[in-house]
Amino acid sequence: MARGDGLLSHDLLPGEKGPQDECGVFGVWAPGEEVAKLAYYGLYSLQHRGQESAGIATSDGQRISVYKDMGLVSQVFDENTLNALTGHIAVGHCRYSTTGASHWANAQPTLGATIDGTVALAHNGNLINTAELMGMVTDEQGSSPRGEIAQGNTTDTALVTALLKGDATKTFEETALELLPKLRGAFCFVFMNETTLYAARDTYGVRPLVLGRLESGWVVASEQAGLATVGASFIREIEPGEMIAIDENGVRSTHFGAPTPAGCVFEYVYLARPDATINARSVYESRVEMGRQLARENSAEGDIVIPVPESGTPAAIGYAEESGIPFAHGFVKNAYVGRTFIQPSQTLRQLGIRLKLNALEPVIKGKRVIVVDDSIVRGNTQRAIVRMLREVGAAAVHVKISSPPVKWPCFYGIDFASRAELIANGATIAEITQSIGADSLAYISEDGMIAATQQPRERLCTACFTGKYPIELPNKDRLGKDLLERSIASSAASSAVSSAPAAGPASDVAEITSIISADESAKMDAYEGGCDPGPDAEFEADLTPQDREPIKAATTAPEGSQA
């Protein structure tokens, strides 16, 4: 059977990446159940959090088995594979890469040796002291790496796994509780040894993690959808700074650090599924309220309100309710075009986003359309959307965005575009309006967005909007998605230079050093680094070169267009 390679047919432009969010983690302890299949369906419900690779590890109490590959959950696993993953404990992961490149060696769960067995670990989030952790691993292992690091794994997750080895003076749990406070950044871990399932969440609680109950055991997952899909009832969230252990004696809880909550506000805006609840607040209700608040702050005359599917739908419903303008579905989305390995022809490539989204002419023609989306990052998606609406006869297109302008990259688990690519950094509202070809453009205010979440401002991370990072960042040269790849390349280059024959021309060595330095210099500015973002990315890969060019003769934004 052909295996997934992570290259879906909606990658219509060479070099463009598909949907990019963060990661989904899942764990289950359930004697007598087919835990691999429970993990499969749990990951299936968390697929929106990561689409690059997927993996499941299981334990029968004596031995851990793991299977992982590139691609979607449904592409990686089949019946035979799942049947071979036996046991009563399982850990699963669906990945979007935030540290380390997107290739097989970096797929999760990661495996590592412990002092008395094996650990399998899945991670959602992103650590910011990766360089420090690499130093700790080097101190313990010496210059010859072992385990997954030796096999080419360049993720922060592999470093944590290696550091869980411990020594003979400590139990595995003691090793974990000693290590967790040393990790800086965002992490939700689900991990296991041969006998026990564990879950841990950083003291800031940046990413969500929940605990559920099965009749025969326990489940942990990134979101409630992972619980509901396998028939588990929601018990509670794992608390910031908490580690739980689950075995035949039930659930044990230990706090390894004092909680300092700073949950990601973008979970409410875009990342989490609408049926999630985070810190007792419904994500769906938050998004509907963002739409209502958007209408209060930025009214516009229109005949219909339509969403950009699917993430703009709740906010569009709220906007319609508050404004009194009828809600309508203005687009039909083909949910299946991106689920095949058959590559489109050149003719189909030119259709771009139309392979996945079509405007409904009978609904749109002659209407003043208010189109609601969750965010603007580069502006390419909105430009294509506006063009499609005009092509089917929209009389006017007013774009409303249910989050403030995105101006800063995220270092805690979302791979936004670089600051240079974020359209809100280099253009005014009027200029963005003209660039995307809309008649007007308006964003919700930061206060309005926060109010919709019903969370205190001080308990939220709003760094992508404000540039205020709750977890202090290290120097730029110790940040970046490819930090470990750079380190490995630099070490290899240093070795190559040091081993050059002494009698060789000095200019040869100088040339090598010059090339390395230029390459490193281009990559070191981590604040400017980034890839395709989570928001917008659903259609980003489908866009044609034309969609990426600002519209030349767009309608000028009317006076009073505001953020």
Side-chain angles (χ1 to χ4, degrees):
M1 173 183 161
R3 290 294 176 197
D5 61 1
L7 300 175
L8 304 180
S9 69
H10 61 255
D11 294 320
L12 300 178
L13 293 174
E16 288 288 338
K17 297 180 180 178
Q20 298 183 14
D21 304 315
E22 36 178 7
C23 295
V25 293
F26 186 89
V28 56
W29 189 94
E33 297 286 348
E34 294 181 280
V35 292
K37 291 185 178 179
L38 291 176
Y40 172 86
Y41 283 109
L43 292 178
Y44 200 88
S45 68
L46 298 172
Q47 187 74 86
H48 61 287
R49 298 187 74 87
Q51 301 86 26
E52 292 180 358
S53 65
I56 295 172
T58 61
S59 173
D60 58 7
Q62 302 294 323
R63 179 175 179 271
I64 289 178
S65 303
V66 64
Y67 187 89
K68 52 189 177 180
D69 207 343
M70 302 301 291
L72 300 175
V73 175
S74 60
Q75 295 163 345
V76 170
F77 296 100
D78 58 24
E79 191 83 21
N80 291 334
T81 304
L82 293 172
N83 287 338
L85 293 170
T86 59
H88 65 284
I89 313 174
V91 167
H93 187 267
C94 52
R95 184 177 190 242
Y96 162 63
S97 53
T98 54
T99 292
S102 179
H103 55 68
W104 185 88
N106 287 341
Q108 299 183 31
T110 54
L111 285 181
T114 67
I115 199 64
D116 57 359
T118 309
V119 59
L121 185 145
H123 175 202
N124 173 32
N126 195 58
L127 302 179
I128 59 172
N129 64 333
T130 302
E132 177 186 343
L133 298 177
M134 188 66 205
M136 293 168 61
V137 171
T138 301
D139 289 342
E140 290 188 8
Q141 297 186 358
S143 58
S144 300
R146 297 187 292 273
E148 293 215 3
I149 297 174
Q151 297 168 17
N153 193 314
T154 55
T155 66
D156 49 359
T157 311
L159 299 178
V160 174
T161 305
L163 292 169
L164 284 171
K165 181 177 182 179
D167 59 56
T169 66
K170 303 182 184 71
T171 66
F172 178 74
E173 283 187 38
E174 288 171 341
T175 298
L177 289 170
E178 185 179 274
L179 174 62
L180 291 171
K182 299 176 182 178
L183 308 179
R184 293 181 56 233
F187 62 84
C188 286
F189 293 139
V190 177
F191 57 110
M192 67 180 183
N193 59 14
E194 283 79 0
T195 61
T196 308
L197 176 68
Y198 297 91
R201 192 178 181 199
D202 66 83
T203 57
Y204 293 87
V206 177
R207 304 285 158 222
L209 189 63
V210 296
L211 172 67
R213 188 74 163 100
L214 289 168
E215 285 187 16
S216 56
W218 299 87
V219 176
V220 288
S222 292
E223 299 178 25
Q224 283 94 323
L227 307 181
T229 300
V230 301
S233 57
F234 171 74
I235 299 299
R236 65 177 178 87
E237 294 189 25
I238 308 299
E239 298 174 3
E242 180 185 22
M243 184 183 86
I244 65 168
I246 303 171
D247 57 20
E248 66 274 9
N249 297 315
V251 179
R252 303 188 305 278
S253 171
T254 307
H255 286 79
F256 58 85
T260 51
C264 173
V265 73
F266 224 90
E267 294 281 354
Y268 294 96
V269 172
Y270 170 84
L271 293 174
R273 269 178 44 157
D275 53 351
T277 298
I278 302 175
N279 202 22
R281 174 59 168 168
S282 161
V283 169
Y284 177 82
E285 282 299 326
S286 294
R287 292 175 185 171
V288 171
E289 182 58 29
M290 287 174 195
R292 295 191 188 106
Q293 183 62 26
L294 185 57
R296 295 183 196 112
E297 295 177 359
N298 302 285
S299 61
E301 292 186 3
D303 300 308
I304 55 172
V305 176
I306 67 170
V308 175
E310 300 290 339
S311 57
T313 300
I317 291 172
Y319 192 102
E321 288 178 355
E322 184 67 26
S323 66
I325 301 170
F327 175 89
H329 289 286
F331 294 100
V332 174
K333 180 183 175 185
N334 182 352
Y336 299 97
V337 72
R339 300 295 181 259
T340 171
F341 291 109
I342 305 302
Q343 297 299 309
S345 66
Q346 182 59 36
T347 300
L348 290 175
R349 289 180 196 275
Q350 294 170 1
L351 295 176
I353 196 172
R354 290 162 182 78
L355 285 176
K356 291 188 76 175
L357 205 63
N358 295 107
L360 279 168
E361 183 173 351
V363 175
I364 301 299
K365 188 173 183 179
K367 303 284 183 33
R368 296 169 299 170
V369 180
I370 296 173
V371 57
V372 180
D373 205 353
D374 58 89
S375 58
I376 296 181
V377 180
R378 290 185 177 90
N380 296 329
T381 298
Q382 287 73 25
R383 188 176 299 118
I385 292 293
V386 171
R387 182 180 283 115
M388 290 172 65
L389 293 173
R390 294 214 185 274
E391 286 174 356
V392 296
V397 180
H398 302 283
V399 176
K400 307 293 180 181
I401 304 299
S402 60
S403 64
V406 176
K407 294 185 176 183
W408 297 87
C410 174
F411 297 98
Y412 309 139
I414 312 172
D415 211 354
F416 282 109
S418 68
R419 287 207 72 204
E421 293 176 288
L422 296 171
I423 193 170
N425 270 324
T428 65
I429 301 298
E431 288 169 340
I432 299 172
T433 306
Q434 182 172 0
S435 174
I436 66 175
D439 291 276
S440 71
L441 166 66
Y443 296 84
I444 194 175
S445 66
E446 182 188 337
D447 288 341
M449 173 189 65
I450 291 173
T453 69
Q454 296 186 350
Q455 306 299 310
R457 178 185 291 269
E458 62 272 14
R459 294 174 65 94
L460 290 172
C461 174
T462 60
C464 56
F465 304 116
T466 64
K468 298 176 182 177
Y469 294 93
I471 311 172
E472 185 178 356
L473 300 176
N475 293 334
K476 296 178 183 181
D477 62 353
R478 298 172 77 84
L479 281 170
K481 180 175 179 175
D482 61 347
L483 177 64
L484 295 180
E485 281 97 340
R486 296 201 314 260
S487 176
I488 293 169
S490 179
S491 297
S494 297
S495 298
V497 172
S498 63
S499 63
S507 59
D508 290 348
V509 176
E511 182 180 0
I512 293 172
T513 306
S514 174
I515 292 171
I516 294 166
S517 299
D519 183 58
E520 288 296 290
S521 176
K523 292 181 178 179
M524 280 299 185
D525 193 355
Y527 291 107
E528 295 296 326
C531 296
D532 290 341
D536 284 1
E538 182 177 11
F539 302 116
E540 180 80 16
D542 301 304
L543 302 177
T544 65
Q546 182 186 18
D547 295 324
R548 289 170 166 77
E549 291 297 324
I551 294 174
K552 304 298 183 184
T555 305
T556 303
E559 269 188 59
S561 291
Q562 53 184 305

